[in-house]
Amino acid sequence: MPRYVIDPPPIVALPVAGTDSLFPVRRVYCIGRNYAAHAVEMGHDPDREPPFFFQKNPDNLDPSGEFPYPPQTADVHHEIEMLIALGSGGTNISPDDALSHVFGYAVCFDMTRRDLQGQAKKMGRPWEIGKAFERSAPTGPLHPANVTGYPHHGRVQLLVNGELRQEGDLNQMIWKVPEMISYLSNYFALAAGDVILSGTPAGVGPVVNGDRMEASIEGIGELTVTVA
Ligand code: MN
């Protein structure tokens, strides 16, 4: 039996609410501009163009409840999102079949170094430097879909230091969960352990050290994260 030449990296895993079980994460896909009002605030057309995706790294997910202010930026933004965790995968999944692959849902953040993302956009470069940095996706516990059901609608809300910053409803997503899964599966082989971030409603903005972000998605759960 060959041995690893270095210690294998730890498996990234999310706690499953109400259990002592863990959900191991394989890949992280994130959809861009999935709420019309957010597309408009970022200077884009809210029309239903084909969706686009970028990726974060599995170990960017962080259930600790703390978000360390990252280096090389002066403009880190909050984006509250719903995380969709797949319990199985495949290719060319039809929208009608897609929900059968969902293990559960969680509240999470797509924290963004907006200044670096902005430079990358302007220069036609990839977004990772703005999106896929250490601990850039604070994530709450996973709530199994057999408990929550499929959230057709539900208020999405983010308070920062008690002040309402972002609000929307899951029913405002331009591309719904079954469509996102189906679309991605036409381009990638999805598998158990993959997670998808849903996109964010309007109201994104900066955080500073000491801020307390209280996120909630009706029917899914809550997540409080401190900027440290
Ligand atoms: Mn986002």
Side-chain angles (χ1 to χ4, degrees):
M1 181 84 171
R3 288 191 307 162
Y4 293 108
V5 294
I6 57 168
D7 290 337
I11 292 171
V12 175
L14 300 174
V16 178
T19 74
D20 55 6
S21 300
L22 297 171
F23 177 92
V25 178
R26 191 183 81 119
R27 293 183 185 169
V28 183
Y29 296 99
C30 309
I31 189 168
R33 289 173 216 146
N34 201 25
Y35 284 79
H38 172 62
V40 169
E41 77 178 347
M42 297 302 290
H44 299 282
D45 196 314
D47 287 350
R48 187 174 152 110
E49 295 170 345
F52 71 92
F53 294 85
F54 58 90
Q55 284 176 268
K56 293 201 186 220
N57 302 296
D59 70 346
N60 297 156
L61 299 179
D62 180 7
S64 74
E66 279 201 357
F67 173 71
Y69 201 94
Q72 304 293 340
T73 180
D75 194 26
V76 169
H77 280 204
H78 52 74
E79 296 189 0
I80 178 178
E81 313 219 350
M82 182 169 73
L83 178 146
I84 302 118
L86 301 187
S88 57
T91 55
N92 303 313
I93 297 168
S94 76
D96 287 346
D97 278 347
L99 290 179
S100 69
H101 295 283
V102 174
F103 170 80
Y105 303 95
V107 181
C108 75
F109 287 93
D110 168 17
M111 299 302 291
T112 302
R113 293 194 280 212
R114 192 72 74 202
D115 42 3
L116 300 187
Q117 183 202 25
Q119 290 168 15
K121 280 184 184 175
K122 208 181 304 175
M123 301 176 83
R125 290 179 177 167
W127 286 10
E128 280 78 6
I129 202 163
K131 291 287 196 180
F133 56 91
E134 269 50 64
R135 300 173 73 174
S136 59
T139 304
L142 265 181
H143 296 269
N146 61 15
V147 176
T148 63
Y150 171 56
H152 290 275
H153 58 84
R155 182 175 161 80
V156 178
Q157 171 182 291
L158 173 65
L159 307 178
V160 178
N161 304 328
E163 179 191 324
L164 183 64
R165 289 277 191 89
Q166 288 193 259
E167 64 176 327
D169 194 287
L170 295 173
N171 67 14
Q172 296 166 339
M173 290 198 295
I174 297 169
W175 295 90
K176 310 294 192 221
V177 173
E179 295 171 315
M180 284 192 271
I181 293 170
S182 176
Y183 190 92
L184 275 171
S185 78
N186 293 332
Y187 291 86
F188 302 99
L190 298 179
D194 290 350
V195 306
I196 302 168
L197 270 55
S198 67
T200 196
V204 300
V207 292
V208 297
N209 269 326
D211 278 353
R212 179 181 163 86
M213 304 188 289
E214 292 173 88
S216 63
I217 301 178
E218 185 184 357
I220 300 299
E222 295 172 355
L223 171 62
T224 297
V225 175
T226 305
V227 183

